[in-house]
PDB file of all heavy atoms in Angstrom:
ATOM      1  N   LEU A  27      65.200 -85.118 -44.903  1.00  0.00           N
ATOM      2  CA  LEU A  27      64.766 -85.182 -43.616  1.00  0.00           C
ATOM      3  C   LEU A  27      65.791 -85.563 -42.524  1.00  0.00           C
ATOM      4  O   LEU A  27      66.649 -86.390 -42.882  1.00  0.00           O
ATOM      5  CB  LEU A  27      63.572 -86.312 -43.577  1.00  0.00           C
ATOM      6  CG  LEU A  27      62.788 -86.733 -42.317  1.00  0.00           C
ATOM      7  CD1 LEU A  27      61.340 -87.123 -42.597  1.00  0.00           C
ATOM      8  CD2 LEU A  27      63.547 -87.721 -41.417  1.00  0.00           C
ATOM      9  N   THR A  28      65.841 -84.894 -41.446  1.00  0.00           N
ATOM     10  CA  THR A  28      66.642 -85.292 -40.378  1.00  0.00           C
ATOM     11  C   THR A  28      65.828 -85.548 -39.136  1.00  0.00           C
ATOM     12  O   THR A  28      64.836 -85.030 -38.886  1.00  0.00           O
ATOM     13  CB  THR A  28      67.689 -84.125 -40.013  1.00  0.00           C
ATOM     14  OG1 THR A  28      67.019 -82.992 -39.703  1.00  0.00           O
ATOM     15  CG2 THR A  28      68.665 -83.859 -41.151  1.00  0.00           C
ATOM     16  N   ALA A  29      66.392 -86.530 -38.371  1.00  0.00           N
ATOM     17  CA  ALA A  29      65.456 -87.063 -37.279  1.00  0.00           C
ATOM     18  C   ALA A  29      66.456 -87.771 -36.253  1.00  0.00           C
ATOM     19  O   ALA A  29      67.701 -87.884 -36.569  1.00  0.00           O
ATOM     20  CB  ALA A  29      64.436 -88.117 -37.728  1.00  0.00           C
ATOM     21  N   TRP A  30      65.965 -88.333 -35.318  1.00  0.00           N
ATOM     22  CA  TRP A  30      66.672 -89.060 -34.249  1.00  0.00           C
ATOM     23  C   TRP A  30      65.811 -90.223 -33.795  1.00  0.00           C
ATOM     24  O   TRP A  30      64.556 -90.082 -33.929  1.00  0.00           O
ATOM     25  CB  TRP A  30      67.190 -88.183 -33.010  1.00  0.00           C
ATOM     26  CG  TRP A  30      65.991 -87.322 -32.501  1.00  0.00           C
ATOM     27  CD1 TRP A  30      65.750 -86.047 -32.718  1.00  0.00           C
ATOM     28  CD2 TRP A  30      65.043 -87.822 -31.477  1.00  0.00           C
ATOM     29  NE1 TRP A  30      64.647 -85.595 -31.967  1.00  0.00           N
ATOM     30  CE2 TRP A  30      64.223 -86.663 -31.258  1.00  0.00           C
ATOM     31  CE3 TRP A  30      64.824 -88.917 -30.713  1.00  0.00           C
ATOM     32  CZ2 TRP A  30      63.149 -86.739 -30.347  1.00  0.00           C
ATOM     33  CZ3 TRP A  30      63.750 -88.961 -29.907  1.00  0.00           C
ATOM     34  CH2 TRP A  30      62.864 -87.903 -29.654  1.00  0.00           C
ATOM     35  N   THR A  31      66.408 -91.280 -33.223  1.00  0.00           N
ATOM     36  CA  THR A  31      65.609 -92.356 -32.752  1.00  0.00           C
ATOM     37  C   THR A  31      66.219 -92.491 -31.335  1.00  0.00           C
ATOM     38  O   THR A  31      67.413 -92.355 -31.007  1.00  0.00           O
ATOM     39  CB  THR A  31      65.791 -93.623 -33.390  1.00  0.00           C
ATOM     40  OG1 THR A  31      67.280 -93.940 -33.689  1.00  0.00           O
ATOM     41  CG2 THR A  31      65.107 -93.365 -34.895  1.00  0.00           C
ATOM     42  N   TRP A  32      65.298 -92.874 -30.278  1.00  0.00           N
ATOM     43  CA  TRP A  32      65.718 -93.248 -28.915  1.00  0.00           C
ATOM     44  C   TRP A  32      64.500 -93.824 -28.139  1.00  0.00           C
ATOM     45  O   TRP A  32      63.501 -93.436 -28.279  1.00  0.00           O
ATOM     46  CB  TRP A  32      66.059 -91.905 -28.184  1.00  0.00           C
ATOM     47  CG  TRP A  32      66.418 -92.000 -26.811  1.00  0.00           C
ATOM     48  CD1 TRP A  32      67.413 -92.844 -26.370  1.00  0.00           C
ATOM     49  CD2 TRP A  32      65.887 -91.379 -25.610  1.00  0.00           C
ATOM     50  NE1 TRP A  32      67.448 -92.825 -24.842  1.00  0.00           N
ATOM     51  CE2 TRP A  32      66.478 -91.914 -24.507  1.00  0.00           C
ATOM     52  CE3 TRP A  32      64.771 -90.532 -25.493  1.00  0.00           C
ATOM     53  CZ2 TRP A  32      66.161 -91.493 -23.264  1.00  0.00           C
ATOM     54  CZ3 TRP A  32      64.568 -90.035 -24.206  1.00  0.00           C
ATOM     55  CH2 TRP A  32      65.160 -90.539 -23.068  1.00  0.00           C
ATOM     56  N   GLY A  33      64.929 -95.009 -27.695  1.00  0.00           N
ATOM     57  CA  GLY A  33      64.049 -95.642 -26.824  1.00  0.00           C
ATOM     58  C   GLY A  33      62.602 -95.874 -27.433  1.00  0.00           C
ATOM     59  O   GLY A  33      61.499 -95.804 -26.924  1.00  0.00           O
ATOM     60  N   GLY A  34      62.733 -96.299 -28.794  1.00  0.00           N
ATOM     61  CA  GLY A  34      61.459 -96.650 -29.392  1.00  0.00           C
ATOM     62  C   GLY A  34      60.717 -95.546 -30.081  1.00  0.00           C
ATOM     63  O   GLY A  34      59.611 -95.618 -30.534  1.00  0.00           O
ATOM     64  N   LEU A  35      61.278 -94.268 -30.012  1.00  0.00           N
ATOM     65  CA  LEU A  35      60.655 -93.169 -30.633  1.00  0.00           C
ATOM     66  C   LEU A  35      61.510 -92.508 -31.775  1.00  0.00           C
ATOM     67  O   LEU A  35      62.681 -92.483 -31.670  1.00  0.00           O
ATOM     68  CB  LEU A  35      60.555 -91.975 -29.483  1.00  0.00           C
ATOM     69  CG  LEU A  35      59.946 -90.783 -29.756  1.00  0.00           C
ATOM     70  CD1 LEU A  35      58.419 -90.982 -30.015  1.00  0.00           C
ATOM     71  CD2 LEU A  35      60.198 -89.702 -28.638  1.00  0.00           C
ATOM     72  N   LEU A  36      60.753 -92.204 -32.758  1.00  0.00           N
ATOM     73  CA  LEU A  36      61.268 -91.392 -33.907  1.00  0.00           C
ATOM     74  C   LEU A  36      60.964 -89.907 -33.639  1.00  0.00           C
ATOM     75  O   LEU A  36      59.813 -89.660 -33.479  1.00  0.00           O
ATOM     76  CB  LEU A  36      60.749 -91.877 -35.196  1.00  0.00           C
ATOM     77  CG  LEU A  36      60.978 -90.964 -36.455  1.00  0.00           C
ATOM     78  CD1 LEU A  36      62.463 -90.930 -36.815  1.00  0.00           C
ATOM     79  CD2 LEU A  36      60.123 -91.443 -37.608  1.00  0.00           C
ATOM     80  N   GLY A  37      61.939 -89.063 -33.572  1.00  0.00           N
ATOM     81  CA  GLY A  37      61.727 -87.776 -33.461  1.00  0.00           C
ATOM     82  C   GLY A  37      62.150 -86.996 -34.677  1.00  0.00           C
ATOM     83  O   GLY A  37      63.426 -86.889 -35.019  1.00  0.00           O
ATOM     84  N   ILE A  38      61.221 -86.441 -35.510  1.00  0.00           N
ATOM     85  CA  ILE A  38      61.644 -85.709 -36.676  1.00  0.00           C
ATOM     86  C   ILE A  38      61.996 -84.285 -36.361  1.00  0.00           C
ATOM     87  O   ILE A  38      61.236 -83.533 -35.789  1.00  0.00           O
ATOM     88  CB  ILE A  38      60.423 -85.833 -37.770  1.00  0.00           C
ATOM     89  CG1 ILE A  38      60.085 -87.228 -38.085  1.00  0.00           C
ATOM     90  CG2 ILE A  38      60.753 -84.948 -39.015  1.00  0.00           C
ATOM     91  CD1 ILE A  38      58.767 -87.464 -38.806  1.00  0.00           C
ATOM     92  N   ASP A  39      63.165 -83.842 -36.801  1.00  0.00           N
ATOM     93  CA  ASP A  39      63.653 -82.524 -36.609  1.00  0.00           C
ATOM     94  C   ASP A  39      63.223 -81.590 -37.710  1.00  0.00           C
ATOM     95  O   ASP A  39      62.541 -80.553 -37.522  1.00  0.00           O
ATOM     96  CB  ASP A  39      65.229 -82.408 -36.432  1.00  0.00           C
ATOM     97  CG  ASP A  39      65.667 -83.167 -35.131  1.00  0.00           C
ATOM     98  OD1 ASP A  39      65.066 -82.844 -34.065  1.00  0.00           O
ATOM     99  OD2 ASP A  39      66.671 -83.784 -35.140  1.00  0.00           O
ATOM    100  N   MET A  40      63.628 -82.042 -38.943  1.00  0.00           N
ATOM    101  CA  MET A  40      63.346 -81.209 -40.069  1.00  0.00           C
ATOM    102  C   MET A  40      63.016 -81.957 -41.313  1.00  0.00           C
ATOM    103  O   MET A  40      63.540 -82.979 -41.508  1.00  0.00           O
ATOM    104  CB  MET A  40      64.537 -80.352 -40.478  1.00  0.00           C
ATOM    105  CG  MET A  40      65.067 -79.404 -39.343  1.00  0.00           C
ATOM    106  SD  MET A  40      66.428 -78.276 -40.016  1.00  0.00           S
ATOM    107  CE  MET A  40      67.849 -79.333 -39.681  1.00  0.00           C
ATOM    108  N   LEU A  41      62.105 -81.418 -42.058  1.00  0.00           N
ATOM    109  CA  LEU A  41      61.748 -82.070 -43.456  1.00  0.00           C
ATOM    110  C   LEU A  41      61.565 -80.828 -44.308  1.00  0.00           C
ATOM    111  O   LEU A  41      60.710 -80.068 -43.999  1.00  0.00           O
ATOM    112  CB  LEU A  41      60.406 -82.948 -43.313  1.00  0.00           C
ATOM    113  CG  LEU A  41      60.117 -83.714 -44.511  1.00  0.00           C
ATOM    114  CD1 LEU A  41      59.128 -84.824 -44.155  1.00  0.00           C
ATOM    115  CD2 LEU A  41      59.563 -82.950 -45.662  1.00  0.00           C
ATOM    116  N   TRP A  42      62.305 -80.794 -45.489  1.00  0.00           N
ATOM    117  CA  TRP A  42      62.226 -79.857 -46.396  1.00  0.00           C
ATOM    118  C   TRP A  42      62.216 -80.390 -47.762  1.00  0.00           C
ATOM    119  O   TRP A  42      63.168 -81.309 -48.112  1.00  0.00           O
ATOM    120  CB  TRP A  42      63.351 -78.773 -46.182  1.00  0.00           C
ATOM    121  CG  TRP A  42      63.340 -77.670 -47.213  1.00  0.00           C
ATOM    122  CD1 TRP A  42      62.541 -76.525 -47.130  1.00  0.00           C
ATOM    123  CD2 TRP A  42      64.174 -77.590 -48.332  1.00  0.00           C
ATOM    124  NE1 TRP A  42      62.801 -75.772 -48.304  1.00  0.00           N
ATOM    125  CE2 TRP A  42      63.823 -76.359 -48.977  1.00  0.00           C
ATOM    126  CE3 TRP A  42      65.165 -78.384 -48.758  1.00  0.00           C
ATOM    127  CZ2 TRP A  42      64.517 -76.068 -50.112  1.00  0.00           C
ATOM    128  CZ3 TRP A  42      65.831 -78.128 -49.967  1.00  0.00           C
ATOM    129  CH2 TRP A  42      65.479 -76.875 -50.607  1.00  0.00           C
ATOM    130  N   VAL A  43      61.455 -79.833 -48.718  1.00  0.00           N
ATOM    131  CA  VAL A  43      61.642 -80.106 -50.084  1.00  0.00           C
ATOM    132  C   VAL A  43      61.695 -78.809 -50.963  1.00  0.00           C
ATOM    133  O   VAL A  43      60.801 -77.888 -50.675  1.00  0.00           O
ATOM    134  CB  VAL A  43      60.347 -81.036 -50.525  1.00  0.00           C
ATOM    135  CG1 VAL A  43      60.400 -81.210 -52.014  1.00  0.00           C
ATOM    136  CG2 VAL A  43      60.281 -82.239 -49.791  1.00  0.00           C
ATOM    137  N   HIS A  44      62.496 -78.755 -51.799  1.00  0.00           N
ATOM    138  CA  HIS A  44      62.713 -77.599 -52.681  1.00  0.00           C
ATOM    139  C   HIS A  44      61.315 -77.235 -53.350  1.00  0.00           C
ATOM    140  O   HIS A  44      60.589 -78.085 -53.831  1.00  0.00           O
ATOM    141  CB  HIS A  44      63.695 -77.729 -53.891  1.00  0.00           C
ATOM    142  CG  HIS A  44      64.112 -76.542 -54.420  1.00  0.00           C
ATOM    143  ND1 HIS A  44      63.339 -76.065 -55.581  1.00  0.00           N
ATOM    144  CD2 HIS A  44      65.223 -75.566 -54.377  1.00  0.00           C
ATOM    145  CE1 HIS A  44      63.839 -74.871 -56.038  1.00  0.00           C
ATOM    146  NE2 HIS A  44      64.849 -74.768 -55.242  1.00  0.00           N
ATOM    147  N   GLU A  45      61.055 -75.899 -53.297  1.00  0.00           N
ATOM    148  CA  GLU A  45      59.727 -75.530 -53.875  1.00  0.00           C
ATOM    149  C   GLU A  45      59.418 -76.088 -55.318  1.00  0.00           C
ATOM    150  O   GLU A  45      58.215 -76.423 -55.526  1.00  0.00           O
ATOM    151  CB  GLU A  45      59.780 -73.979 -53.928  1.00  0.00           C
ATOM    152  CG  GLU A  45      58.429 -73.240 -54.401  1.00  0.00           C
ATOM    153  CD  GLU A  45      58.384 -71.880 -54.292  1.00  0.00           C
ATOM    154  OE1 GLU A  45      59.411 -71.210 -53.825  1.00  0.00           O
ATOM    155  OE2 GLU A  45      57.496 -71.180 -54.805  1.00  0.00           O
ATOM    156  N   ASP A  46      60.346 -76.239 -56.133  1.00  0.00           N
ATOM    157  CA  ASP A  46      60.129 -76.743 -57.554  1.00  0.00           C
ATOM    158  C   ASP A  46      59.672 -78.204 -57.532  1.00  0.00           C
ATOM    159  O   ASP A  46      59.305 -78.773 -58.610  1.00  0.00           O
ATOM    160  CB  ASP A  46      61.315 -76.542 -58.397  1.00  0.00           C
ATOM    161  CG  ASP A  46      61.658 -75.159 -58.755  1.00  0.00           C
ATOM    162  OD1 ASP A  46      60.822 -74.259 -58.445  1.00  0.00           O
ATOM    163  OD2 ASP A  46      62.776 -74.794 -59.059  1.00  0.00           O
ATOM    164  N   HIS A  47      59.934 -78.915 -56.425  1.00  0.00           N
ATOM    165  CA  HIS A  47      59.731 -80.369 -56.380  1.00  0.00           C
ATOM    166  C   HIS A  47      58.587 -80.730 -55.314  1.00  0.00           C
ATOM    167  O   HIS A  47      58.338 -82.005 -55.073  1.00  0.00           O
ATOM    168  CB  HIS A  47      60.947 -81.195 -55.963  1.00  0.00           C
ATOM    169  CG  HIS A  47      62.102 -80.926 -57.035  1.00  0.00           C
ATOM    170  ND1 HIS A  47      62.170 -81.688 -58.134  1.00  0.00           N
ATOM    171  CD2 HIS A  47      62.954 -79.954 -57.088  1.00  0.00           C
ATOM    172  CE1 HIS A  47      63.072 -81.302 -58.871  1.00  0.00           C
ATOM    173  NE2 HIS A  47      63.628 -80.260 -58.385  1.00  0.00           N
ATOM    174  N   ARG A  48      57.735 -79.818 -54.938  1.00  0.00           N
ATOM    175  CA  ARG A  48      56.872 -80.199 -53.782  1.00  0.00           C
ATOM    176  C   ARG A  48      55.590 -80.867 -54.246  1.00  0.00           C
ATOM    177  O   ARG A  48      54.922 -81.510 -53.582  1.00  0.00           O
ATOM    178  CB  ARG A  48      56.374 -78.938 -53.142  1.00  0.00           C
ATOM    179  CG  ARG A  48      57.629 -78.360 -52.268  1.00  0.00           C
ATOM    180  CD  ARG A  48      57.211 -77.230 -51.222  1.00  0.00           C
ATOM    181  NE  ARG A  48      58.442 -76.849 -50.577  1.00  0.00           N
ATOM    182  CZ  ARG A  48      58.816 -75.612 -50.286  1.00  0.00           C
ATOM    183  NH1 ARG A  48      57.807 -74.585 -50.428  1.00  0.00           N
ATOM    184  NH2 ARG A  48      59.744 -75.271 -49.681  1.00  0.00           N
ATOM    185  N   ARG A  49      55.352 -80.915 -55.610  1.00  0.00           N
ATOM    186  CA  ARG A  49      54.306 -81.632 -56.140  1.00  0.00           C
ATOM    187  C   ARG A  49      54.644 -83.093 -56.608  1.00  0.00           C
ATOM    188  O   ARG A  49      53.804 -83.775 -57.086  1.00  0.00           O
ATOM    189  CB  ARG A  49      53.683 -80.823 -57.349  1.00  0.00           C
ATOM    190  CG  ARG A  49      53.090 -79.489 -56.981  1.00  0.00           C
ATOM    191  CD  ARG A  49      51.768 -79.810 -56.326  1.00  0.00           C
ATOM    192  NE  ARG A  49      51.134 -78.488 -55.897  1.00  0.00           N
ATOM    193  CZ  ARG A  49      50.521 -78.288 -54.790  1.00  0.00           C
ATOM    194  NH1 ARG A  49      50.308 -79.250 -53.976  1.00  0.00           N
ATOM    195  NH2 ARG A  49      49.919 -77.124 -54.496  1.00  0.00           N
ATOM    196  N   GLY A  50      55.822 -83.386 -56.374  1.00  0.00           N
ATOM    197  CA  GLY A  50      56.377 -84.698 -56.815  1.00  0.00           C
ATOM    198  C   GLY A  50      56.336 -85.789 -55.795  1.00  0.00           C
ATOM    199  O   GLY A  50      56.952 -86.711 -55.907  1.00  0.00           O
ATOM    200  N   ARG A  51      55.664 -85.468 -54.703  1.00  0.00           N
ATOM    201  CA  ARG A  51      55.403 -86.463 -53.615  1.00  0.00           C
ATOM    202  C   ARG A  51      56.773 -86.764 -52.877  1.00  0.00           C
ATOM    203  O   ARG A  51      56.885 -87.761 -52.273  1.00  0.00           O
ATOM    204  CB  ARG A  51      54.779 -87.721 -54.006  1.00  0.00           C
ATOM    205  CG  ARG A  51      53.437 -87.481 -54.671  1.00  0.00           C
ATOM    206  CD  ARG A  51      52.240 -88.226 -54.530  1.00  0.00           C
ATOM    207  NE  ARG A  51      52.171 -89.001 -53.320  1.00  0.00           N
ATOM    208  CZ  ARG A  51      51.471 -88.761 -52.349  1.00  0.00           C
ATOM    209  NH1 ARG A  51      50.873 -87.612 -52.229  1.00  0.00           N
ATOM    210  NH2 ARG A  51      51.355 -89.615 -51.284  1.00  0.00           N
ATOM    211  N   TRP A  52      57.702 -85.884 -53.009  1.00  0.00           N
ATOM    212  CA  TRP A  52      59.077 -86.015 -52.392  1.00  0.00           C
ATOM    213  C   TRP A  52      58.962 -86.106 -50.836  1.00  0.00           C
ATOM    214  O   TRP A  52      59.481 -86.906 -50.072  1.00  0.00           O
ATOM    215  CB  TRP A  52      60.070 -85.074 -52.774  1.00  0.00           C
ATOM    216  CG  TRP A  52      60.697 -85.328 -54.211  1.00  0.00           C
ATOM    217  CD1 TRP A  52      60.188 -84.506 -55.347  1.00  0.00           C
ATOM    218  CD2 TRP A  52      61.549 -86.163 -54.583  1.00  0.00           C
ATOM    219  NE1 TRP A  52      60.861 -84.959 -56.349  1.00  0.00           N
ATOM    220  CE2 TRP A  52      61.814 -86.057 -55.950  1.00  0.00           C
ATOM    221  CE3 TRP A  52      62.298 -87.266 -54.008  1.00  0.00           C
ATOM    222  CZ2 TRP A  52      62.559 -86.752 -56.735  1.00  0.00           C
ATOM    223  CZ3 TRP A  52      63.132 -88.017 -54.697  1.00  0.00           C
ATOM    224  CH2 TRP A  52      63.403 -87.789 -56.077  1.00  0.00           C
ATOM    225  N   GLY A  53      58.007 -85.265 -50.279  1.00  0.00           N
ATOM    226  CA  GLY A  53      57.850 -85.196 -48.914  1.00  0.00           C
ATOM    227  C   GLY A  53      57.368 -86.445 -48.364  1.00  0.00           C
ATOM    228  O   GLY A  53      57.785 -86.952 -47.326  1.00  0.00           O
ATOM    229  N   SER A  54      56.274 -87.095 -49.043  1.00  0.00           N
ATOM    230  CA  SER A  54      55.703 -88.279 -48.571  1.00  0.00           C
ATOM    231  C   SER A  54      56.821 -89.465 -48.625  1.00  0.00           C
ATOM    232  O   SER A  54      56.845 -90.176 -47.799  1.00  0.00           O
ATOM    233  CB  SER A  54      54.610 -88.683 -49.513  1.00  0.00           C
ATOM    234  OG  SER A  54      53.588 -87.658 -49.296  1.00  0.00           O
ATOM    235  N   ARG A  55      57.615 -89.341 -49.788  1.00  0.00           N
ATOM    236  CA  ARG A  55      58.633 -90.463 -49.801  1.00  0.00           C
ATOM    237  C   ARG A  55      59.633 -90.309 -48.713  1.00  0.00           C
ATOM    238  O   ARG A  55      60.062 -91.279 -48.127  1.00  0.00           O
ATOM    239  CB  ARG A  55      59.348 -90.353 -51.162  1.00  0.00           C
ATOM    240  CG  ARG A  55      58.438 -90.696 -52.338  1.00  0.00           C
ATOM    241  CD  ARG A  55      59.227 -90.691 -53.639  1.00  0.00           C
ATOM    242  NE  ARG A  55      58.390 -90.057 -54.623  1.00  0.00           N
ATOM    243  CZ  ARG A  55      58.878 -89.693 -55.823  1.00  0.00           C
ATOM    244  NH1 ARG A  55      60.079 -90.011 -56.191  1.00  0.00           N
ATOM    245  NH2 ARG A  55      58.063 -89.044 -56.685  1.00  0.00           N
ATOM    246  N   LEU A  56      60.099 -89.115 -48.378  1.00  0.00           N
ATOM    247  CA  LEU A  56      61.028 -88.911 -47.365  1.00  0.00           C
ATOM    248  C   LEU A  56      60.482 -89.317 -46.048  1.00  0.00           C
ATOM    249  O   LEU A  56      61.096 -90.193 -45.348  1.00  0.00           O
ATOM    250  CB  LEU A  56      61.360 -87.383 -47.230  1.00  0.00           C
ATOM    251  CG  LEU A  56      62.198 -86.828 -48.341  1.00  0.00           C
ATOM    252  CD1 LEU A  56      62.053 -85.313 -48.350  1.00  0.00           C
ATOM    253  CD2 LEU A  56      63.634 -87.334 -48.242  1.00  0.00           C
ATOM    254  N   LEU A  57      59.210 -89.005 -45.775  1.00  0.00           N
ATOM    255  CA  LEU A  57      58.534 -89.360 -44.415  1.00  0.00           C
ATOM    256  C   LEU A  57      58.389 -90.967 -44.318  1.00  0.00           C
ATOM    257  O   LEU A  57      58.691 -91.457 -43.292  1.00  0.00           O
ATOM    258  CB  LEU A  57      57.243 -88.703 -44.336  1.00  0.00           C
ATOM    259  CG  LEU A  57      56.519 -88.835 -43.016  1.00  0.00           C
ATOM    260  CD1 LEU A  57      57.342 -88.307 -41.804  1.00  0.00           C
ATOM    261  CD2 LEU A  57      55.176 -88.104 -42.964  1.00  0.00           C
ATOM    262  N   ARG A  58      57.911 -91.507 -45.330  1.00  0.00           N
ATOM    263  CA  ARG A  58      57.663 -93.015 -45.306  1.00  0.00           C
ATOM    264  C   ARG A  58      59.107 -93.707 -45.195  1.00  0.00           C
ATOM    265  O   ARG A  58      59.175 -94.713 -44.508  1.00  0.00           O
ATOM    266  CB  ARG A  58      57.011 -93.441 -46.742  1.00  0.00           C
ATOM    267  CG  ARG A  58      55.567 -93.277 -46.591  1.00  0.00           C
ATOM    268  CD  ARG A  58      54.912 -94.063 -47.719  1.00  0.00           C
ATOM    269  NE  ARG A  58      55.263 -93.740 -48.978  1.00  0.00           N
ATOM    270  CZ  ARG A  58      54.817 -92.692 -49.875  1.00  0.00           C
ATOM    271  NH1 ARG A  58      53.894 -91.998 -49.445  1.00  0.00           N
ATOM    272  NH2 ARG A  58      55.325 -92.649 -51.054  1.00  0.00           N
ATOM    273  N   ALA A  59      60.106 -93.193 -45.766  1.00  0.00           N
ATOM    274  CA  ALA A  59      61.433 -93.831 -45.711  1.00  0.00           C
ATOM    275  C   ALA A  59      61.883 -93.709 -44.270  1.00  0.00           C
ATOM    276  O   ALA A  59      62.589 -94.701 -43.729  1.00  0.00           O
ATOM    277  CB  ALA A  59      62.398 -93.259 -46.593  1.00  0.00           C
ATOM    278  N   ALA A  60      61.855 -92.624 -43.615  1.00  0.00           N
ATOM    279  CA  ALA A  60      62.175 -92.307 -42.284  1.00  0.00           C
ATOM    280  C   ALA A  60      61.444 -93.281 -41.425  1.00  0.00           C
ATOM    281  O   ALA A  60      62.038 -93.792 -40.395  1.00  0.00           O
ATOM    282  CB  ALA A  60      62.041 -90.934 -41.879  1.00  0.00           C
ATOM    283  N   GLU A  61      60.108 -93.324 -41.496  1.00  0.00           N
ATOM    284  CA  GLU A  61      59.343 -94.324 -40.614  1.00  0.00           C
ATOM    285  C   GLU A  61      59.712 -95.580 -40.884  1.00  0.00           C
ATOM    286  O   GLU A  61      59.771 -96.488 -39.823  1.00  0.00           O
ATOM    287  CB  GLU A  61      57.904 -94.084 -40.936  1.00  0.00           C
ATOM    288  CG  GLU A  61      57.339 -92.730 -40.577  1.00  0.00           C
ATOM    289  CD  GLU A  61      55.830 -92.377 -41.052  1.00  0.00           C
ATOM    290  OE1 GLU A  61      55.358 -93.235 -41.948  1.00  0.00           O
ATOM    291  OE2 GLU A  61      55.160 -91.422 -40.555  1.00  0.00           O
ATOM    292  N   ALA A  62      60.018 -96.035 -41.930  1.00  0.00           N
ATOM    293  CA  ALA A  62      60.358 -97.477 -42.253  1.00  0.00           C
ATOM    294  C   ALA A  62      61.749 -97.815 -41.642  1.00  0.00           C
ATOM    295  O   ALA A  62      61.961 -98.832 -40.880  1.00  0.00           O
ATOM    296  CB  ALA A  62      60.545 -97.768 -43.843  1.00  0.00           C
ATOM    297  N   GLU A  63      62.688 -96.916 -41.607  1.00  0.00           N
ATOM    298  CA  GLU A  63      63.912 -97.060 -41.048  1.00  0.00           C
ATOM    299  C   GLU A  63      63.806 -97.026 -39.517  1.00  0.00           C
ATOM    300  O   GLU A  63      64.364 -97.863 -38.764  1.00  0.00           O
ATOM    301  CB  GLU A  63      65.003 -95.913 -41.397  1.00  0.00           C
ATOM    302  CG  GLU A  63      66.260 -96.017 -40.636  1.00  0.00           C
ATOM    303  CD  GLU A  63      67.092 -97.294 -40.780  1.00  0.00           C
ATOM    304  OE1 GLU A  63      66.847 -98.054 -41.722  1.00  0.00           O
ATOM    305  OE2 GLU A  63      68.063 -97.457 -40.028  1.00  0.00           O
ATOM    306  N   ALA A  64      62.951 -96.200 -38.901  1.00  0.00           N
ATOM    307  CA  ALA A  64      62.611 -96.136 -37.531  1.00  0.00           C
ATOM    308  C   ALA A  64      62.118 -97.481 -37.043  1.00  0.00           C
ATOM    309  O   ALA A  64      62.476 -98.004 -36.022  1.00  0.00           O
ATOM    310  CB  ALA A  64      61.666 -95.024 -37.239  1.00  0.00           C
TER     311      ALA A  64
END
């Protein structure tokens, strides 16, 4: 996941998970980690 932060806002640019791993909840983990860092 790539994103930016500015003035209290998290802006997510891209989130991608390889097709073979999409059922492993990687996307959710990526998103939660970015939100926590934000």
Side-chain angles (χ1 to χ4, degrees):
L27 179 149
T28 58
W30 49 267
T31 56
W32 177 55
L35 180 66
L36 166 66
I38 299 169
D39 289 321
M40 294 185 283
L41 189 160
W42 174 83
V43 175
H44 188 280
E45 187 175 351
D46 295 343
H47 296 275
R48 291 192 182 144
R49 296 287 179 214
R51 306 213 28 94
W52 286 103
S54 295
R55 291 184 227 175
L56 291 163
L57 187 58
R58 282 193 304 270
E61 290 173 350
E63 174 60 17

